[in-house]
Amino acid sequence: MESTATIRELCSITLPVIRCRFDYADRDGQISKRDVRLCRFFVTDEGRQYLEGVCVLRGSRRTFRLDRLQSALTHVASGTEYPSARVAEQLAELIQLAQQPEHEALNRGAAMGLPLVWMLLGGLLAWGLLSA
């Protein structure tokens, strides 16, 4: 069996900067609108899924539990919306959009091909740390 450190490494993906907007409920249930430059996705040993990024309004790093998203996550450059329950599964598409020049990001018909990310997400599914 692999060590916990190895599992943590497999369950963390550094993202290109992805600017998104969403509504988020903090631990007290207070809902706020967020504008964030996402930069990392990770899963804890307990199986909780998180996105980490820099809050545009506050200019500081924040961590967001995916189960606390209260709205679809909207990719700012393209306007594409991702249902909160499926954000982890759609990271490959978000990464692809982030890597396109801004004028090309508006073309939603572009083919999405990121084998490495799909392998990582497949590993998360296989380890039971991500649900389909």
Side-chain angles (χ1 to χ4, degrees):
M1 184 160 196
E2 306 218 14
S3 73
T4 303
T6 303
I7 292 170
R8 281 189 194 126
E9 184 65 30
L10 287 172
C11 298
S12 178
I13 301 171
T14 300
L15 306 170
V17 175
I18 301 170
R19 181 138 178 220
C20 294
R21 291 188 180 117
F22 51 89
D23 294 341
Y24 185 76
D26 65 16
R27 72 181 86 172
D28 298 323
Q30 295 295 324
I31 298 173
S32 60
K33 295 195 176 300
R34 302 299 183 110
D35 188 340
V36 180
R37 289 185 177 98
L38 300 175
C39 57
R40 189 165 80 105
F41 167 79
F42 64 97
V43 179
T44 64
D45 292 336
E46 297 84 26
R48 286 195 181 118
Q49 301 169 10
Y50 290 85
L51 288 170
E52 185 175 15
V54 176
C55 174
V56 173
L57 177 64
R58 294 179 179 89
S60 61
R61 199 168 196 85
R62 299 280 195 245
T63 303
F64 304 96
R65 273 180 44 181
L66 287 186
D67 62 344
R68 290 186 179 161
L69 268 71
Q70 300 297 304
S71 69
L73 186 143
T74 302
H75 181 257
V76 172
S78 69
T80 303
E81 291 188 356
Y82 299 89
S84 59
R86 299 188 48 106
V87 168
E89 299 166 26
Q90 296 170 324
L91 283 174
E93 186 173 334
L94 280 163
I95 292 168
Q96 182 70 24
L97 284 170
Q99 293 175 335
Q100 295 176 4
E102 205 164 308
H103 65 280
E104 288 181 21
L106 297 174
N107 179 5
R108 294 186 188 129
M112 303 297 172
L114 292 170
L116 177 61
V117 172
W118 286 119
M119 286 182 357
L120 289 170
L121 291 175
L124 292 173
L125 285 166
W127 281 85
L129 297 170
L130 186 67
S131 59

